[in-house]
Amino acid sequence: MGEIDVKLTADVLVIGGGPAAAWAAWSAASNGANVALVDKGYLGTSGATAPGGTNLLYLPPDQKLRDQAVEQRFKGGGFLSEPSWTYRVLDQVYINLERIEKWGYPFVRDEEGVPQRGHLQGLEYMNLMRKVVLKAGVKVLDHHPSLELLVDEHGVGGARGVSRLDNKEWEVRANAVVLATGGCAFLSKGLGCNVLTGDGLLMASELGAELSGMEFSRAYAPSAAFGTITRGRLLGWATYYDEEGNVLNSDGNRGQILHRAVSEGRTVYAMLNKADTPEKQAILRSSHAVFFLPYDRTGIDPFTQKFPLTLRAEGTVRGTGGIRLVSEDCSTTVAGLYAAGDAASRERLMGGMSGGGAFNASWAICSGTWSGEAAAAYALAQSRNAGSRDLRPAGRYGLQAGETSGSVAVGAPASDSSRPSQKELVAAVQQEVSLKINYFRNVPSLQGSLARLNALWPIAGSFSERGGIQQRVRSREIAAMAATARWMHTASLERKETRAMHALAEYPEQDPNQLHRITLSGIDEIAVRYDKVPGSSA
Amino acid sequence: MIELVSDDRCIRCGICVKVCPTHVFDADAEGLPFIARQEDCQTCFVCEAHCPADALYVSPYADVAVDVEEESLIANGLLGSWRATVGWGPGRTKLASVDTTEFINRILPPRPGSAAR
């Protein structure tokens, strides 16, 4: 690259376009900061929330109900969460959902007139959030993927990237940056997940930030075998069949039926025949409408006809690992850098188990709100304008050599014709997070996978293909995905037990001596340390 | 994956180019969007919901391209069907305002086993 075409300065830069980014931008702007938001896609459609719907961790202010929820979560998350964080999420999300209703979201009411705020339709929610963010005065830059952060000895100072619609190079300088780039789902085509390639984890790690909980990344979601609608809740009304038509879940449990079949190459069919009246079918259709799209469009009546299922990787998106947060304000170990939503480790709220989308959706709302507020306060307290700082671009992986003036891009030049194509690199990384390796985890298989990923890293972590902006962005995404897979397997091998979402065949029991979080840092070399769970006796 | 931009219906507003989160569309000199990178389509259907002219069709097949014919999509009521379901467009009821998700546990099927899901 070379010349920067568009230069901006703000107090707070938010990177991302899903709910966490929207809340962070709104929150920072509401706290007096001048805010820019840059997203790879479009604020309002980007990410796992917009195309479908999302349940929320939401309870009325009833102490008994909340105590039960917190206790349940503490156990379900393998005792790695902090109850105080679960309580503060319950408090904050209640306030913010009242706000959403005030802003115009049409929550339905039950027979007693009580608003039902535990579920949001994604398109409506994110369309509303876009309007709210714009109204708050945030400068929104869609289709502006970030390629790297800016840094100096005082901490983070903004980001650089490209504008996909007009081929321009941009730079936004800001004294505080919120990473709300989502998790990593490895381009699996889970609903809305293909913008979620771990970019924020890589950017943060290049600045020396730590990651935590990367072993809690064993999430796969069911969709039609030919489709993308990764919504499993309605399969609670399904009977599962094998290829010969035998019923597989006669005990009412779906358990690992689908996981085993998909990893062994067998097809499982489902039929929603437990919704056996037109009234029940209508209720399901108005709840998860998007679920029915693939069937309606292929002429399958899912209530009376069988349809084939598959599983799509959701990696850290429905997992809980990500950038380690050091304080209640969602700050990281890097000065000025904050993380929100699925880019952040969610262990403090939910330990090692996300329990579906509900916790993550409420987390996005709360972590966005807290990080935005803290980023605004931090930025406004700085005496020096970010525009006058002596910042350098910090990106090292997946970037073109000499792409930015200050960066030292690693790896061989991309002109080497023996290099694998980007398509091949994506497939190679995806293979290492397959069900066989990453769901049915065992030590030798994870070790073999990590060795292959390490061998691939010099290629996957360097600039992979010349071409246009798409190739430049994809090159960076490949580096982020390969790094994420390496972090996941490193942490999974380190946790020699079975706890919450993590399971290791050789160690099927929870081990009281491993009641700690696993913290990683570094990219070429990954350092591991154990982090005490605040409040625990271990 | 996205399979159709209807020349007849498209009003050249450019919304699909903007809202597609994976940047699948480009527009030609006349402002008519075309499918420039079909392989990047993540089959999320958001472009359809946002298209005010019901000019787009996303096939539910995520990994294979299929042939579609505009006339038969129209005849089968599929052009614009997702936007209608979401309840966007003049005079429509928003899906969010008739969302039944909070009530589906009332019709949970009886469970033969006692183990938790």
Side-chain angles (χ1 to χ4, degrees):
Chain A
M1 93 183 196
E3 291 298 291
I4 301 287
D5 303 301
V6 180
K7 288 190 180 186
L8 293 172
T9 303
D11 297 316
V12 175
L13 171 65
V14 177
I15 305 181
W23 282 104
W26 167 81
S27 174
S30 303
N31 281 280
N34 178 353
V35 183
L37 178 149
V38 293
D39 182 44
K40 189 198 277 187
Y42 178 86
L43 173 67
T45 63
S46 270
T49 299
T54 183
N55 289 308
L56 294 140
L57 171 66
Y58 166 84
L59 289 171
D62 174 319
Q63 198 57 42
K64 206 174 147 200
L65 279 177
R66 291 190 174 189
D67 290 346
Q68 280 168 357
V70 170
E71 179 62 24
Q72 211 178 0
R73 173 51 22 183
F74 190 51
K75 281 186 193 151
F79 309 99
L80 296 176
S81 63
E82 292 157 67
S84 63
W85 278 65
T86 315
Y87 280 113
R88 65 193 284 258
V89 164
L90 283 164
D91 291 343
Q92 183 71 55
V93 83
Y94 191 84
I95 294 167
N96 287 33
L97 286 168
E98 282 187 325
R99 283 191 173 117
I100 294 176
E101 188 163 34
K102 202 179 72 196
W103 290 334
Y105 188 92
F107 284 113
V108 291
R109 281 157 199 273
D110 70 6
E111 295 80 352
E112 271 91 57
V114 179
Q116 303 295 299
R117 303 196 190 105
H119 184 257
L120 286 161
Q121 292 288 349
L123 281 164
E124 201 67 48
Y125 169 36
M126 289 311 298
N127 208 44
L128 176 64
M129 289 309 297
R130 181 179 178 90
K131 286 181 191 158
V132 167
V133 167
L134 287 169
K135 202 174 160 199
V138 174
K139 171 109 179 150
V140 174
L141 300 165
D142 303 300
H143 292 288
H144 276 55
S146 298
L147 292 176
E148 54 187 327
L149 295 174
L150 305 176
V151 70
D152 65 10
E153 73 274 21
H154 305 293
V156 71
R160 273 187 188 178
V162 288
S163 164
R164 294 205 290 200
L165 299 188
D166 59 8
N167 281 305
K168 293 206 165 134
E169 314 288 328
W170 60 263
E171 178 180 290
V172 177
R173 289 171 170 245
N175 281 328
V177 174
V178 180
L179 285 171
T181 45
C184 182
F186 301 98
L187 296 173
S188 68
K189 292 194 180 173
L191 189 60
C193 284
N194 269 26
V195 294
L196 309 172
T197 47
D199 310 355
L201 306 191
L202 181 58
M203 284 191 275
S205 295
E206 284 169 336
L207 260 61
E210 292 178 316
L211 306 174
S212 184
M214 293 302 288
E215 68 277 30
F216 303 118
S217 48
R218 199 172 146 255
Y220 296 80
S223 76
F226 54 85
T228 57
I229 310 300
T230 39
R231 287 297 181 275
R233 193 161 174 210
L234 299 197
L235 294 174
W237 283 262
T239 303
Y240 278 10
Y241 302 89
D242 66 14
E243 286 153 353
E244 284 77 44
N246 302 306
V247 174
L248 296 173
N249 60 334
S250 52
D251 64 353
N253 268 321
R254 285 172 288 142
Q256 295 187 340
I257 292 170
L258 192 51
H259 297 78
R260 293 201 184 284
V262 172
S263 79
E264 291 162 15
R266 290 179 284 113
T267 303
V268 168
Y269 295 85
M271 177 163 40
L272 301 184
N273 49 5
K274 295 179 186 175
D276 49 8
T277 65
E279 292 73 25
K280 289 179 188 173
Q281 293 170 6
I283 289 172
L284 296 190
R285 276 193 176 270
S286 316
S287 66
H288 294 55
V290 75
F291 177 90
F292 295 92
L293 257 178
Y295 310 114
D296 291 346
R297 291 189 172 191
T298 49
I300 296 169
D301 175 359
F303 297 111
T304 60
Q305 291 175 292
K306 293 174 190 170
F307 48 93
L309 291 175
T310 192
L311 287 166
R312 293 190 182 269
E314 290 187 318
T316 72
V317 173
R318 209 184 285 250
T320 72
I323 300 163
R324 188 171 86 89
L325 302 181
V326 298
S327 149
E328 300 210 329
D329 63 5
C330 299
S331 54
T332 70
T333 49
V334 177
L337 186 67
Y338 299 79
D342 294 348
S345 169
R346 290 139 276 169
E347 288 166 293
R348 302 192 79 161
L349 162 65
M350 54 179 130
M353 178 80 83
S354 75
F359 279 79
N360 284 332
S362 291
W363 171 250
I365 291 173
C366 298
S367 60
T369 303
W370 298 331
S371 62
E373 184 182 349
Y378 178 89
L380 294 172
Q382 303 304 304
S383 54
R384 189 153 36 153
N385 185 290
S388 64
R389 284 169 63 180
D390 188 19
L391 295 160
R392 60 179 172 81
R396 283 181 53 82
Y397 301 94
L399 296 167
Q400 212 164 334
E403 186 156 38
T404 58
S405 52
S407 68
V408 192
V410 296
S415 53
D416 183 350
S417 59
S418 65
R419 284 182 60 95
S421 68
Q422 291 193 328
K423 215 174 182 167
E424 289 165 337
L425 285 170
V426 169
V429 175
Q430 286 174 334
Q431 200 151 17
E432 303 302 341
V433 293
S434 65
L435 280 162
K436 212 167 231 167
I437 293 169
N438 187 50
Y439 186 81
F440 295 106
R441 289 174 174 172
N442 69 64
V443 172
S445 143
L446 280 175
Q447 283 173 336
S449 177
L450 184 56
R452 286 190 297 276
L453 283 163
N454 286 340
L456 186 68
W457 177 243
I459 299 166
S462 62
F463 183 68
S464 53
E465 198 168 308
R466 289 194 192 283
I469 280 190
Q470 296 295 114
Q471 284 74 28
R472 278 176 68 190
V473 173
R474 182 52 50 87
S475 177
R476 186 73 173 155
E477 291 173 340
I478 288 168
M481 289 190 295
T484 301
R486 290 171 61 237
W487 288 318
M488 280 164 47
H489 289 358
T490 300
S492 299
L493 284 164
E494 197 63 35
R495 189 173 285 289
K496 295 182 182 64
E497 63 165 344
T498 289
R499 185 184 293 272
M501 172 190 276
H502 171 68
L504 204 49
E506 290 84 349
Y507 305 95
E509 304 295 329
Q510 188 164 294
D511 172 8
N513 293 318
Q514 296 185 53
L515 183 62
H516 48 238
R517 298 191 186 132
I518 294 174
T519 300
L520 307 179
S521 56
I523 304 170
D524 289 330
E525 300 292 328
I526 301 169
V528 181
R529 69 176 183 83
Y530 298 152
D531 203 18
K532 187 176 178 301
V533 181
S536 78
S537 51
Chain B
M1 296 189 286
I2 179 79
E3 293 291 356
L4 176 78
V5 179
S6 164
D7 282 17
D8 281 354
R9 291 187 169 202
C10 178
I11 55 169
R12 278 72 168 162
C13 66
I15 286 176
C16 58
V17 180
K18 274 198 311 192
V19 302
C20 172
T22 58
H23 189 28
V24 163
F25 302 99
D26 281 336
D28 70 12
E30 274 75 53
L32 179 70
F34 62 94
I35 303 163
R37 289 164 292 274
Q38 190 186 28
E39 71 281 5
D40 287 339
C41 176
Q42 60 172 352
T43 316
C44 71
F45 304 95
V46 300
C47 57
E48 268 195 52
H50 278 272
C51 175
D54 294 333
L56 304 173
Y57 180 73
V58 178
S59 138
Y61 294 98
D63 304 309
V64 288
V66 293
D67 288 329
V68 298
E69 282 188 15
E70 185 168 345
E71 300 77 48
S72 67
L73 293 175
I74 293 170
N76 291 319
L78 291 175
L79 269 199
S81 70
W82 181 229
R83 188 166 76 107
T85 302
V86 171
W88 283 0
R92 286 179 172 156
T93 302
K94 287 175 174 176
L95 177 63
S97 65
V98 291
D99 187 346
T100 51
T101 307
E102 293 277 51
F103 308 117
I104 63 175
N105 284 345
R106 297 177 181 182
I107 57 160
L108 277 174
R111 300 179 55 80
S114 59
R117 230 178 311 166

